[in-house]
Amino acid sequence: MADLTKNGILNSIKKVDDKRIDKNHLILNSIKNFEVKENILHLDLSLSIPQTEVKEELKSKIIKAIKEDFSDLSSVKLNILAKITPHTDKRKDALLPGVKNTIAVASGKGGVGKSTVAVNLAVALAKDGANVGLIDADIYGPSIPLMLGVKDRPQVYQKDGKVIMQPLENYGIKMISIGFLVDDEAPVIWRGPMASGAVKQFMSDVNWDDLDYLVFDMPPGTGDIQLTLVQTIPLTGAVIVTTPQEVSLIDARKALKMFNRVNVPVAGVVENMSYFIAPDSGKKYDIFGFGGGEKMSKELQVPFLGEIPIDPRIRIGGDKGIPIVFDLPDTEYSEIITGISRKLAEQINLINLNASSKVEILLDDEEQ
Ligand SMILES: Nc1ncnc2c1ncn2[C@@H]1O[C@H](COP(=O)(O)OP(=O)(O)OP(=O)(O)O)[C@@H](O)[C@H]1O
Ligand SMILES: [Mg+2]
């Protein structure tokens, strides 16, 4: 029989065949509490899965695997903690102390669906139980007010001599946009530094409180404004949105390079407008080509998070201010987007774990 140690237990858990248990993420630190008392194992296990995936059936599988390897145990009391690891970064901690992770949703090319993807991912993450905020970093073309159906002005108050804005809320997420603060036309005449200054204020002067994810809907392009922004925001990771055809992929590659240049890990590529399924015939049409996003992520060795089809309901959701994952949660397309949001959460977790892996290895060595 294997030794009843944290390592021994982890090895048993790794034998469980379930996609919620990602073997690469199971490390000693996944075990938060480990105690054997009178042949009963008390175990707190932290998994990088959303709260909604913590189910009895998953617990039973894990308990069974442990009991098989450690037959002397009379019982296993397992507690699964859904884990959202924080990005440890001094700059982020100073600017956004309660925010665990920051994610930019970007693309090189305009109009590929960044805002649509950002909004739906934010709502999907929140539906899974995370605390989510959304910053509209597109100062020249804010989309968040329309796409999330919010028009109010944020409340302001004074704190320590500073004016603080209260973010607006809808669909379980907090949000801020220049569109809540100024007339539609005003920001167009702003110069670059004013735009990045506004985004900086959206971080420092908004009461974000505690958030698991703060998502940034980025402006299109990879020019000076975008570069300044990605340097201003202490980012955990970036999501690159592309459509399948070459013109969009060329720009997506540029965006990837921009993030590489400033050492921001790319959490993944999302291919949007991937295909269209005709509602009458069910036939699939590859309107903008096929498979470009996945091919590019392979080539550049970044994770591929998934494909979102073209569907009028996605566009209508944006136009009427009710994101599809909220409005039509049971449709296949909402499920696809939710799947992407979960993969993204996993990747963010992995980025954070990789960043702290040196510490983990030391801990591993100490155990033996
Ligand atoms: N999968 C989709 N199916 C149908 N319509 C979509 C889809 N994705 C985006 N759209 C629509 O395409 C248009 C452009 O999308 P969106 O505004 O999200 O792109 P963007 O990349 O943020 O644009 P910009 O570069 O101007 O910020 C919107 O009208 C949106 O509703
Ligand atoms: Mg946009």
Side-chain angles (χ1 to χ4, degrees), residues 328-341:
L328 304 165
D330 298 326
T331 54
E332 194 196 335
Y333 297 164
S334 292
E335 280 164 16
I336 288 175
I337 297 170
T338 303
I340 292 175
S341 78

Side-chain angles (χ1 to χ4, degrees), residues 110-116 138 147 220 272-273 309-311 314-315:
V112 295
K114 285 175 297 302
S115 303
T116 306
D138 195 347
M147 288 192 174
N272 188 31
M273 309 191 188
I310 300 186
D311 190 273
I314 297 179
R315 202 260 312 144

Side-chain angles (χ1 to χ4, degrees), residues 105-114 218-222 226 239-242 248 251-252 254-255 258-259:
V105 179
S107 72
K109 195 174 175 316
V112 295
K114 285 175 297 302
M218 302 296 282
T222 48
Q226 291 76 9
V239 173
I240 311 282
V241 181
T242 184
S248 173
D251 289 347
K254 279 192 200 154
M258 175 176 76
F259 287 107

Side-chain angles (χ1 to χ4, degrees), residues 169-225:
E169 286 191 50
N170 210 3
Y171 309 119
I173 62 173
K174 293 179 178 170
M175 64 194 96
I176 199 81
S177 168
I178 197 81
F180 300 146
L181 303 169
V182 298
D183 297 337
D184 286 354
E185 311 299 323
V188 181
I189 55 163
W190 288 10
R191 301 209 336 268
M194 283 174 84
S196 60
V199 173
K200 199 163 186 185
Q201 272 187 289
F202 286 167
M203 294 187 278
S204 59
D205 301 356
V206 172
N207 175 27
W208 291 112
D209 221 341
D210 291 335
L211 292 179
D212 295 311
Y213 305 106
L214 180 56
V215 178
F216 292 77
D217 178 17
M218 302 296 282
T222 48
D224 284 349
I225 291 175

Side-chain angles (χ1 to χ4, degrees), residues 120-338:
N120 278 287
L121 287 183
V123 174
L125 287 167
K127 282 184 71 184
D128 268 345
N131 288 326
V132 183
L134 180 62
I135 287 185
D136 193 343
D138 195 347
I139 301 297
Y140 297 106
S143 303
I144 298 308
L146 176 75
M147 288 192 174
L148 286 166
V150 179
K151 284 194 204 82
D152 305 333
R153 291 215 179 243
Q155 306 256 343
V156 292
Y157 59 94
Q158 294 259 350
K159 195 181 167 205
D160 305 328
K162 206 167 133 185
V163 177
I164 302 287
M165 279 181 274
Q166 190 59 28
L168 294 169
E169 286 191 50
N170 210 3
Y171 309 119
I173 62 173
K174 293 179 178 170
M175 64 194 96
I176 199 81
S177 168
I178 197 81
F180 300 146
L181 303 169
V182 298
D183 297 337
D184 286 354
E185 311 299 323
V188 181
I189 55 163
W190 288 10
R191 301 209 336 268
M194 283 174 84
S196 60
V199 173
K200 199 163 186 185
Q201 272 187 289
F202 286 167
M203 294 187 278
S204 59
D205 301 356
V206 172
N207 175 27
W208 291 112
D209 221 341
D210 291 335
L211 292 179
D212 295 311
Y213 305 106
L214 180 56
V215 178
F216 292 77
D217 178 17
M218 302 296 282
T222 48
D224 284 349
I225 291 175
Q226 291 76 9
L227 187 61
T228 309
L229 272 181
V230 299
Q231 284 170 321
T232 306
I233 308 168
L235 285 168
T236 311
V239 173
I240 311 282
V241 181
T242 184
T243 50
Q245 80 273 39
E246 198 49 39
V247 276
S248 173
L249 292 166
I250 291 169
D251 289 347
R253 282 190 193 93
K254 279 192 200 154
L256 260 152
K257 288 202 180 113
M258 175 176 76
F259 287 107
N260 283 343
R261 185 134 58 103
V262 293
N263 290 323
V264 172
V266 173
V269 170
V270 173
E271 190 184 271
N272 188 31
M273 309 191 188
S274 292
Y275 54 88
F276 172 70
I277 297 193
D280 46 355
S281 63
K283 196 167 171 233
K284 187 176 164 199
Y285 293 89
D286 295 321
I287 295 180
F288 295 122
F290 174 75
E294 190 166 12
K295 198 169 140 242
M296 183 186 74
S297 38
K298 279 211 182 99
E299 177 190 307
L300 299 170
Q301 297 182 333
V302 291
F304 185 63
L305 302 177
E307 297 171 347
I308 304 173
I310 300 186
D311 190 273
R313 289 171 294 180
I314 297 179
R315 202 260 312 144
I316 292 165
D319 283 349
K320 71 176 181 184
I322 315 177
I324 186 166
V325 285
F326 191 90
D327 197 20
L328 304 165
D330 298 326
T331 54
E332 194 196 335
Y333 297 164
S334 292
E335 280 164 16
I336 288 175
I337 297 170
T338 303

